[in-house]
Amino acid sequence: MAEQEYDLIVVGSGAGALLGAIRAQEQGLKTLLVEKASLFGGTSALSGGGIWIPVNYDQARAGIKDDLETAFGYMKRCVRGMATDDRVLAYVETANKMAEYLRQIGIPYRAMTKYADYYPHIEGAKPGGRTMDPVDFNAAKLGLKALETMRSGSTGSMLFGKMSINAFEAHSMLSRELKSRFTIVGIMLKYFLDYPWRNKTKRDRRMAGGQALIAGLLAAANKAGVEMWCNTPLKELVQDASGRVTGVIVEINGQSAQINAKRGVMLAAGGFERNQEMRDQYLNKPTRAEWTATPVDGNTGDAHRAGQAVGAQLHLMDWSWGVPTMDVPKEPAFRGIFVERSLPGCMVVNAKGQRFLNESGPYPEFQQAMLAEHAQGNGGVPAWIVFDAGFRAQNPMGPLMPGSAVPDSKLRRSWLNNVYWKGETLEDLAAQIGVDAAGLKDSARKMTEYAQSGKDLDFDRGGNVFDRYYGDPRLKNPNLGPIEKGPFYAMRLWPGEIGTKGGLLTDREARVLDTGGKVVEGLYCVGNNSASVMGPAYAGAGSTLGPAMTFAFRAVADMKGQP
Ligand code: FAD
């Protein structure tokens, strides 16, 4: 059994893990990062890369006013007592320092001035500016060899499955801004003309979103000299007689090895979304591992259990970062439907053909509404997203590109009655998908009326600034459109998630607490491995990555005895 010693051992290689490792190494702590998978980056590499940073450095440029008290008040109200004020305050006070640090190590972000906080009705919410998106990253700065060690982005989030598109460009396209046509042409030209790069790799040189974040972090980790081992799963934590965590047992080539950590171990091994047994034990039912949008097979809660074995307290285990998902054959995970559900001219119904939610609302609440509807016996799992020929022609939906670009005749044949269902009339469609026809017709009639009046009398869709972010601003209500012209389409939605959010309970320095509320010395935890500082909520886009990196930043400060 090999035995080695470092100051800090970081477990996992998502955004929080990498940021913690870089910061620690730069602060003089000899750091080792161990990753279970054969590639670095975790779900973070496939994410949008957005971070929710109140009072951030880029708000002034955009003329946005924000302050710590307002941000703290908003987040505290979102959290509903499920994370302590102490932790919430620590987050609000440190998030921008962490973002500044990201910029310093070569990963600048821009404030998304039009992307509202998720709960505009809660006091202290801002109509934009707290969510930040990473500036595009040139993969050449990471280098081809290191690029090969990094998890690639999901094709579903790329233009034509190949070209990176950042959040600003995606929003411009979906809002039908004229300039977006030039943007798309520009992206395609840059991609196709970049022969020197494309001769070397299929991956786009221009990285956006989570790819930009993780490539930037990997480049910084290499520069700082962090030692990183893939194919090295954590098995157990090692404690001394006093209960202090002093190292880890990992598996290397089938052999156990103990590695000691003088200052601490930071668990950042993601959620347990891929572990069906843990889902059955903790999450609301029904719940299936295959519904998750997280394609990282290794996120099986190993470090939750390792933490529990040394006495850690678990918290928020029945919560996840919910999102409706869709099964797209050949994709590594179900696809999260973040945006399209908000566009005008579609509606979501239960087995009775009735709407039961605001389709444009925040996605975690969407998933919760599906489960609640199911629990009431109305058939909310699966739910169906239904639209007509007019919507189909103009808009994307999951893997279906707008019909004007890719008509039904060009879609894969195997997708019919598998990915999408199609009926000449609503009755026909209802019979195919097993939904009540009278209910479906009634819901479509009401939606068409609401589109004309601009007011959704049932769920107030489009009634706030968050809903309207993804919509058609030319309409009376950007989120409402008629459903009246055949053929009609339906696609199936599942209550998936982009990660679980329950885990090891920590204090304001990301130190793990035991079941008696005492600190487990030497053990830190961040990201989806830990119980989220957001409690049951999703304060704004970037509510998972922002805290993961911010608490990793704080953990290192704690190890170094910094305030
Ligand atoms: P991960 O990034 O999943 O990393 C965990 C790592 O730990 C993995 O690499 C895993 O292999 C490794 N691991 C597991 N077990 C072990 C073990 N025993 N030993 C060693 N290593 C182990 N969130 C946002 O805030 N903003 C966004 O814009 C955003 N967009 C998203 C878009 C999509 C499509 C998806 C799917 C998610 C998105 N999310 C977003 C959610 C976000 O990606 C995750 O919540 C976040 O990446 C979790 O980070 P993490 O470090 O906790 O876990």
Side-chain angles (χ1 to χ4, degrees), residues 35-36 42-44 47-50 234 269-270 293 298-299 302 498 528 542 544-545:
E35 164 57 54
K36 176 182 184 178
T43 315
S44 309
S47 73
L234 167 84
N299 282 1
D302 307 357
I498 53 174
N528 292 350
T544 88
L545 294 171

Side-chain angles (χ1 to χ4, degrees), residues 10-18 34-52 115 118 131-134 151 154 157 209-210 214 229 231-235 250 267-271 273 292-303 321 323 333-336 338 363 497-500 526-530 538 540-548:
V10 177
V11 182
S13 66
L18 284 165
V34 292
E35 164 57 54
K36 176 182 184 178
S38 57
L39 296 169
F40 297 112
T43 315
S44 309
L46 295 126
S47 73
I51 52 178
W52 189 76
Y115 206 172
Y118 280 15
T131 291
M132 303 182 86
D133 192 52
R151 215 175 259 281
S154 66
S157 63
I214 295 297
W229 301 348
N231 298 313
T232 310
L234 167 84
K235 292 292 171 192
V250 293
L267 299 178
E273 54 274 353
T292 188
T294 301
V296 180
D297 296 344
N299 282 1
T300 47
D302 307 357
W321 304 103
V323 72
F334 277 30
R335 194 185 287 200
F338 299 95
Y363 37 87
E497 74 283 310
I498 53 174
T500 51
V526 302
N528 292 350
N529 205 158
S530 63
Y538 208 119
S543 285
T544 88
L545 294 171

